[in-house]
Amino acid sequence: MRVTIHRYISLVVALAATIAATAQDGTTAYQFLNVSPSAHVYGLGGHNITLIDDDINLVEQNPALLGPEFDHQVGVNYMKYIGSTNFMGARYGQGINEHSAFAVGIQYYGYGNMTETDPEGTVLGKFSASDINFNVTYSHDIATNIRGGITLKYLYSKYGDFSAGAIAADLGVNVYNPESELSLSLVAKNLGGQVKKFNGTHDSKDRLPWDIQIGYSQRFGTSPFRLHITAYNLRKWSLPYYEPADKNNTNSDLVKKESFGSNFMRHLVLGLEFLPNDNMYVGIGYNHKVRTDMSRYQRGMLSGLSLGAGMKVKAFGFGIALAQPHTGATTFMLNLNTTLGELLK
């Protein structure tokens, strides 16, 4: 049945409000869901639900960014994260008809080997830890320039001899005007819950990092610049952080920092792109929450900033991104996408 834009937005808000009413304050698990596998997005600050580009890797941010234009497109990604952590994944999209499409994907998060000890500290050996995100996405054109989508995810975690599982869903809607290159989006992310706890019981399940996000992207007329503003963590206004009382000594006591301006900025991710032509982009992003979260550590002047660039050469699209959350922890991401039909030409 064809639904209206008003009913679709109502569904997103209703589901989010239901979870908000039952959620309790505290730390959520499955934080790997907050790391985008898209180099384009990572270079623009790590969160972007309105970016319109010929890249299937973007669908992870908002299921409404999927469409029949991604027919037979394949995207792969790799990220060298902090320490021995490595992320990688793949996604495939296919059109159903001129108004609908679906995609399937898998994302692997490996954290390397760690030392296993007993409660007394005796070393027993090594163990590995990893998370896997299996997902399927469906999108449909609700009306002219309006598209809705849903992503269903099964999350599997294995840390040594212990494993856990969860089911989640993303709901999104995007409004895009190709003439003014204006893109607006609303997304409810990670709605769901844990179905299996690490100890095998069903009590005290870890909560997913569910979120409500809104976004805006627009090109400045005929100029080669495009602005992105994404608001996230909208389920909670207060986002305090902590920093050393003596900023010259990171081992000093921590003090809580919070103000209206700080809370406001910690909800925003800002991005700016330079688009010299249709096949190339260079972007910079700023995430104030990342920068302030690093206040207790030895962050560098680049903390919170990210850089990215990409280009399309014949049938292949390439993207790279770099960020340095704190000194000694430079992260690197690489994306590749291609449309199978173009390879056969």
Side-chain angles (χ1 to χ4, degrees):
M1 177 181 295
R2 188 179 180 88
V3 297
T4 66
I5 180 62
H6 302 290
R7 290 180 60 189
Y8 194 87
I9 294 177
S10 297
L11 175 62
V12 174
V13 174
L15 284 174
T18 299
I19 295 182
T22 59
Q24 299 177 357
D25 290 337
T27 302
T28 59
Y30 299 91
Q31 289 295 323
F32 61 88
L33 292 172
N34 290 323
V35 182
S36 173
S38 166
H40 201 160
V41 170
Y42 195 69
L44 291 173
H47 297 276
N48 191 308
I49 60 174
T50 48
L51 182 56
I52 305 296
D53 197 12
D54 183 24
D55 183 0
I56 189 106
N57 292 298
L58 297 171
V59 172
E60 176 273 340
Q61 286 284 290
N62 180 359
L65 298 181
L66 176 67
E69 63 271 17
F70 290 112
D71 191 34
H72 297 301
Q73 186 173 135
V74 177
V76 295
N77 65 81
Y78 169 77
M79 182 179 195
K80 176 61 178 175
Y81 204 53
I82 298 172
S84 59
T85 302
N86 293 275
F87 302 158
M88 61 193 73
R91 193 177 301 269
Y92 170 78
Q94 183 170 317
I96 299 175
N97 52 47
E98 62 180 1
H99 294 293
S100 303
F102 79 92
V104 293
I106 181 172
Q107 197 70 26
Y108 171 82
Y109 306 82
Y111 310 111
N113 293 321
M114 307 176 192
T115 301
E116 181 180 4
T117 65
D118 62 16
E120 286 71 39
T122 303
V123 176
L124 303 178
K126 298 284 186 178
F127 73 96
S128 61
S130 62
D131 295 300
I132 304 178
N133 175 357
F134 303 93
N135 53 79
V136 58
T137 301
Y138 171 79
S139 70
H140 181 75
D141 293 337
I142 300 171
T144 302
N145 299 336
I146 302 174
R147 179 176 290 168
I150 179 171
T151 294
L152 299 177
K153 308 178 236 185
Y154 177 73
L155 311 173
Y156 176 76
S157 300
K158 183 170 177 59
Y159 301 162
D161 296 329
F162 299 91
S163 62
I167 295 176
D170 296 347
L171 297 172
V173 62
N174 174 257
V175 180
Y176 178 63
N177 185 332
E179 296 181 358
S180 61
E181 296 193 52
L182 170 66
S183 178
L184 302 171
S185 288
L186 169 67
V187 178
K189 287 191 171 184
N190 304 319
L191 308 178
Q194 196 173 38
V195 294
K196 178 187 176 184
K197 192 172 171 60
F198 278 107
N199 61 11
T201 67
H202 294 275
D203 60 317
S204 302
K205 296 176 185 175
D206 294 322
R207 295 186 296 113
L208 271 64
W210 72 275
D211 194 14
I212 301 295
Q213 300 181 3
I214 58 176
Y216 159 88
S217 293
Q218 187 167 27
R219 191 162 180 166
F220 300 128
T222 58
S223 77
F225 295 99
R226 181 165 56 184
L227 175 67
H228 305 274
I229 302 175
T230 304
Y232 72 123
N233 278 328
L234 297 184
R235 63 188 179 89
K236 183 179 181 181
W237 165 253
S238 178
L239 296 176
Y241 65 97
Y242 296 83
E243 66 179 23
D246 180 0
K247 294 184 179 180
N248 295 318
N249 180 11
T250 56
N251 293 321
S252 68
D253 293 338
L254 297 176
V255 294
K256 182 178 179 179
K257 307 290 289 187
E258 184 176 18
S259 65
F260 176 86
S262 170
N263 280 325
F264 180 79
M265 287 301 300
R266 279 169 61 80
H267 282 284
L268 298 181
V269 176
L270 307 177
L272 183 65
E273 285 184 284
F274 173 63
L275 308 166
N277 55 58
D278 292 337
N279 295 317
M280 182 178 180
Y281 72 85
V282 178
I284 183 172
Y286 178 68
N287 188 320
H288 190 66
K289 185 176 186 300
V290 170
R291 181 169 180 81
T292 48
D293 282 345
M294 292 297 106
S295 292
R296 71 184 70 180
Y297 307 107
Q298 292 180 333
R299 71 182 184 194
M301 62 178 297
L302 298 180
S303 180
L305 291 172
S306 56
L307 300 172
M311 63 186 305
K312 185 172 183 179
V313 180
K314 295 184 178 180
F316 294 94
F318 303 88
I320 59 172
L322 293 167
Q324 189 183 59
H326 64 87
T327 56
T330 300
T331 58
F332 169 81
M333 182 178 288
L334 174 67
N335 279 179
L336 171 67
N337 68 81
T338 186
T339 300
L340 300 181
E342 295 183 11
L343 289 177
L344 302 177
K345 292 181 180 178

